[in-house]
Amino acid sequence: GDSVTQMEGPVTLSEEAFLTINCTYTATGYPSLFWYVQYPGEGLQLLLKATKADDKGSNKGFEATYRKETTSFHLEKGSVQVSDSAVYFCALTLSGGYNKLIFGAGTRLAVHP
Amino acid sequence: DAGVIQSPRHEVTEMGQEVTLRCKPISGHDYLFWYRQTMMRGLELLIYFNNNVPIDDSGMPEDRFSAKMPNASFSTLKIQPSEPRDSAVYFCASSPGTDTQYFGPGTRLTVL
């Protein structure tokens, strides 16, 4: 069935380091892909999205490119800050199935000064 | 504009008691979702509504769980009777009919 697989955390980085969080998916059809972020004690917020192959989503210095050939949507940021410490969720919506998000397990990121 | 509002933010109850969680979606949003988040199982979709009608409740774990949406601005998730394994953070989310969902802050439920 349709699913999302993320790299296990926690990911621990120093401030200004480069970040990559891997995400791969399995889906029939052509899903839309998302990254959501959850800060401590809060609900999830949409970080970025891409709706078709080769699209790049970007927001707040984060980027992810929809790669159909590798079924991937890896999250990257060139220089992380302490304030980026959070849990990051990769997700997809099913083609033809309205709005039903399927989430990965989440990856916790801890950034130290 | 107010986001999705959930109440209570924290609930501690004893096993066997009835628990009711409440959600007010963003005005004008046609879709409402209930999720449960635990360390073991991650984020799970329990049920979702479109125009106040339940569309998919396949994620509801068992008959002890029920959800209602009596009008466009209010939804409840009820657990009766509650059990310790129901302890989790429960999120409500709403959507205007696009592929983006807006999450509330969650209700942390502890069943002793």
Side-chain angles (χ1 to χ4, degrees):
Chain A
D2 301 289
S3 64
V4 175
T5 302
Q6 294 182 232
M7 63 187 288
E8 288 190 19
V11 174
T12 303
L13 295 173
S14 298
E15 206 164 24
E16 300 183 1
F18 185 85
L19 168 70
T20 300
I21 300 178
N22 290 337
C23 171
T24 57
Y25 68 90
T26 301
T28 53
Y30 303 97
S32 294
L33 301 174
F34 304 82
W35 279 100
Y36 278 79
V37 58
Q38 184 179 26
Y39 298 103
E42 298 183 10
L44 280 71
Q45 304 173 24
L46 178 65
L47 180 59
L48 53 85
K49 68 179 183 181
T51 58
K52 62 182 187 297
D54 300 324
D55 269 2
K56 177 185 284 188
S58 61
N59 186 27
K60 300 181 181 180
F62 291 89
E63 294 183 339
T65 301
Y66 189 142
R67 301 288 189 196
K68 186 172 183 291
E69 63 277 12
T70 55
T71 62
S72 65
F73 193 56
H74 304 322
L75 182 68
E76 297 182 336
K77 187 174 184 182
S79 176
V80 294
Q81 305 300 311
V82 173
S83 57
D84 293 326
S85 299
V87 180
Y88 293 82
F89 292 88
C90 187
L92 63 82
T93 53
L94 300 174
S95 174
Y98 177 76
N99 228 354
K100 187 172 178 177
L101 277 169
I102 294 177
F103 286 94
T107 302
R108 182 174 299 279
L109 170 65
V111 181
H112 300 288
Chain B
D1 288 339
V4 174
I5 299 172
Q6 292 187 246
S7 64
R9 291 295 309 276
H10 302 273
E11 177 79 29
V12 180
T13 191
E14 293 187 347
M15 182 173 63
Q17 296 298 304
E18 177 179 294
V19 174
T20 300
L21 311 181
R22 297 173 175 80
C23 175
K24 177 178 170 57
I26 295 171
S27 178
H29 284 194
D30 295 333
Y31 287 80
L32 184 139
F33 306 80
W34 282 101
Y35 291 89
R36 178 172 68 177
Q37 186 179 41
T38 61
M39 290 294 292
M40 291 298 295
R41 300 175 67 89
L43 199 61
E44 304 172 277
L45 176 65
L46 300 178
I47 185 171
Y48 79 94
F49 296 82
N50 177 216
N51 292 323
N52 313 337
V53 176
I55 303 301
D56 184 349
D57 65 355
S58 59
M60 296 286 264
E62 47 195 279
D63 291 345
R64 297 185 297 106
F65 286 69
S66 62
K68 294 182 179 179
M69 192 165 186
N71 57 61
S73 59
F74 184 66
S75 177
T76 59
L77 178 68
K78 186 175 293 187
I79 308 172
Q80 167 62 23
S82 59
E83 297 183 2
R85 60 194 169 116
D86 301 330
S87 297
V89 181
Y90 291 82
F91 289 103
C92 177
S94 68
S95 173
T98 67
D99 55 10
T100 300
Q101 295 184 21
Y102 298 81
F103 283 74
T107 296
R108 181 174 295 277
L109 173 65
T110 302
V111 183
L112 303 174

